[in-house]
Amino acid sequence: MARRPRSGPGRGWLLRLVIAFAFAQGAVSMARPAVSYRALALGADETAVGVIAGVYALLPLFVAVPLGRRTDHGRCAPLLPLGVLLISGGCALSGLVSSLPAMAAWSGVMGLGHLSFVIGAQSIVARQSAPNEQDRNFGHFTIGASLGQLIGPIAAGALISGQGGALGRTSALALLVSAGVCAVALTSLWRIEHRRTTGTRPRAEGKVPVRTILGARGVPAGILISMAVLSATDILTAYLPVVGEHRSIAPATVGLLLSLRAAATIACRLVMTPLLRLLGRRALLTTSCLLAGLLCAGVALPVSVPVLSAMLAVLGFCLGVGQPLSMTTVVRAAPDGARSTALALRLTGNRLGQVAAPAAAGLIAGAAGVAAPFVLLGVGLMGAAGLGLRGEGGKEQASADEAVSDRSNRRSAPGGCPRDRRAARSPRSGG
C-alpha cells in the first residue's frame, strides 16, 4: 500500500500551488517596477532606486533560517496565506505612502511575505515529491513564478504612464492593483499539504548546525548559483525601467520586454526534462549560466529595441535553468531533517544577493551610468558557470540518479514489492 502521495504533473495539489504562486509572484513582479517608477516620481535618483530595491530583501535575511527550522519540524502550509497577506499589505502601503523611507520599509514587508510563501511552497514540493520527480516538480513549480513574471510587468506597463505629472499617480495605482492580484492567491490555497506526508516524516534528533548544512557537498554551489541567477533577474526587473527612461523607451514597452524574458523562462522550464536528458545536469547549468552572463553584459550596449528583445528572450531562456536545478541540488545534498533549513539558507543567499546587487548597482549606476550594473551581473553569472562546472553532478550524483532510476523501474514493474517502494523514498534521497 502506498504510504505517501505521488506528485505527478496532474496532481491537484501541485496545480493549485502553481496557480497560487503565479498570482503571488505576478503581484510582486507588478509591484517591483511600479516601486521603481514611483520612487523616480518622488525624486529618487539611480542610487536611491537601488537602495529601495535592496531593502526588499533586507528584512527577510533575519527570518529565513528560523522559518526553515520551524518548517523542518512542522507544517509548511500556514506560511502560504501569511505570505500572501504580507505581500498584499506591502504592495498597498507602498502605493499609499509618499516618502522614500516609508516606501523602502513597506517594500521590505513585501519581501518578507514573498520569502514566507516561497519557503513554505518549496518545502511542500520537496516533501511530497519522489526523488526521481524533484527536477520535474520543481520545474513545474517555478513555472508559477515565471507566469507571474510574464503577466506582472505587462500589467504594470499598461497601468503606468510617464506623461506629465501622472507617473506618481499611475505607479501608485499599479501598486494597489498588485495588492488585489496577490489576494486572489488565497483562493487556491486549499488541500496543498498532505497531512499523511507530514505525519510520516522522520523526526530529527535535534537541530542540524548551519555549518554542517553549508558543509554538505553541493549545498554551497546550489546557493551561489541561485544567488547569481536571481540577482540577474532582480536587477533586470528593477533597472530596466531606469534604462528605458534614459533610452526613451516607454514604460509599456519596458513591461513587454520584461514579460518576454519571463515567457522565455517558462519555455525553458517546460522543456527542462528533455534538456537534462540531452545535456546532463552539469553541462546544462554551466552552459546556461555562461550564455546568460554574456547576454546580461550585452544589455549595457546601446542596441535597438528589436535587438534588445532578442537578447532578453535568449537571456530569459538561459535564466530558467538555474533556479529549479539549484533547488533540487540543495534538497539532495542537505542532511536528513534539515531540508527546509537548507532551502531557507538558499533563499537567504538569494536575499543577500538582492540586498547587495541592487545597492552595488545603484552605486555603479551613479558613477558609471545605468547600463554598467548589467556588466557586473554578467561577470557574476560567468562565475556561476564555473561553480556549475565544479560543484554540480559528478560521478557520485550520476550514480545516485541511476540508483533512483533503477528503483523507480522496479517500483513500476509488475513484481515490484513494498520494500522497493520504501527504498525509492529514502529520506537521504531528498523525498
Side-chain angles (χ1 to χ4, degrees):
M1 183 172 63
R3 299 182 59 184
R4 69 184 292 175
R6 302 288 295 169
S7 54
R11 294 291 182 176
W13 70 268
L14 184 57
L15 176 61
R16 289 191 294 276
L17 188 60
V18 170
I19 292 171
F21 195 23
F23 279 104
Q25 185 64 56
V28 171
S29 298
M30 187 177 178
R32 298 302 301 284
V35 166
S36 295
Y37 279 119
R38 182 156 171 78
L40 290 171
L42 293 175
D45 57 12
E46 291 86 354
T47 301
V49 170
V51 171
I52 292 173
V55 172
Y56 168 84
L58 185 61
L59 184 58
L61 283 176
F62 303 101
V63 299
V65 172
L67 283 177
R69 296 283 194 199
R70 177 214 169 277
T71 307
D72 273 324
H73 300 285
R75 296 184 62 219
C76 311
L79 290 179
L80 304 183
L82 173 64
V84 169
L85 293 174
L86 289 173
I87 293 171
S88 292
C91 291
L93 290 166
S94 293
L96 293 175
V97 298
S98 57
S99 72
L100 295 178
M103 280 192 66
W106 290 116
S107 180
V109 172
M110 189 196 315
L112 178 60
H114 188 260
L115 177 82
S116 299
F117 188 99
V118 171
I119 286 180
Q122 288 183 7
S123 298
I124 288 173
V125 176
R127 191 173 291 176
Q128 297 183 177
S129 301
N132 59 319
E133 296 174 330
Q134 285 174 347
D135 280 333
R136 182 192 65 197
N137 284 358
F138 275 123
H140 290 169
F141 166 71
T142 53
I143 286 175
S146 298
L147 284 170
Q149 291 166 354
L150 170 65
I151 298 170
I154 291 178
L159 288 171
I160 298 170
S161 169
Q163 295 185 6
L167 184 59
R169 176 176 54 81
T170 55
S171 58
L173 174 62
L175 287 165
L176 293 175
V177 172
S178 67
V181 169
C182 186
V184 177
L186 292 172
T187 62
S188 293
L189 296 179
W190 51 277
R191 296 182 64 186
I192 295 289
E193 185 176 24
H194 295 282
R195 291 184 180 273
R196 285 180 299 166
T197 306
T198 304
T200 57
R201 231 173 357 99
R203 299 289 295 181
E205 294 295 329
K207 292 181 179 179
V208 179
V210 170
R211 181 179 299 179
T212 301
I213 299 172
L214 292 175
R217 183 184 177 189
V219 171
I223 290 173
L224 291 172
I225 290 169
S226 177
M227 188 173 167
V229 170
L230 186 66
S231 294
T233 304
D234 204 56
I235 294 300
L236 277 172
T237 303
Y239 263 80
L240 201 59
V242 182
V243 172
E245 284 288 294
H246 280 257
R247 298 184 187 176
S248 300
I249 301 174
T253 304
V254 171
L256 288 173
L257 290 172
L258 289 172
S259 295
L260 176 64
R261 195 278 311 163
T265 298
I266 294 174
C268 171
R269 288 166 181 171
L270 287 173
V271 298
M272 181 75 71
T273 300
L275 283 176
L276 284 167
R277 283 199 297 262
L278 178 65
L279 299 175
R281 178 183 294 268
R282 177 186 293 186
L284 183 58
L285 262 177
T286 302
T287 304
S288 64
C289 288
L290 182 61
L291 286 176
L294 293 172
L295 289 165
C296 204
V299 174
L301 301 175
V303 296
S304 64
V305 171
V307 174
L308 184 60
S309 301
M311 291 172 61
L312 287 174
V314 181
L315 175 59
F317 192 92
C318 293
L319 291 176
V321 173
Q323 294 289 24
L325 291 192
S326 68
M327 292 177 200
T328 305
T329 299
V330 169
V331 166
R332 290 181 176 179
D336 294 345
R339 292 189 179 89
S340 292
T341 305
L343 287 169
L345 286 169
R346 174 185 167 276
L347 290 171
T348 300
N350 288 351
R351 294 306 188 261
L352 278 171
Q354 287 181 303
V355 170
L363 292 173
I364 293 172
V370 295
F374 295 100
V375 177
L376 176 66
L377 289 175
V379 173
L381 285 166
M382 292 178 195
L387 288 172
L389 188 62
R390 291 181 51 201
E392 184 65 29
K395 293 182 179 180
E396 294 177 7
Q397 183 64 52
S399 299
D401 288 344
E402 289 173 4
V404 168
S405 177
D406 290 340
R407 288 196 295 268
S408 178
N409 292 336
R410 288 198 302 271
R411 188 170 65 238
S412 61
C417 64
R419 179 174 299 179
D420 290 335
R421 289 195 294 269
R422 286 195 297 271
R425 301 186 190 99
S426 167
R428 187 59 190 161
S429 299

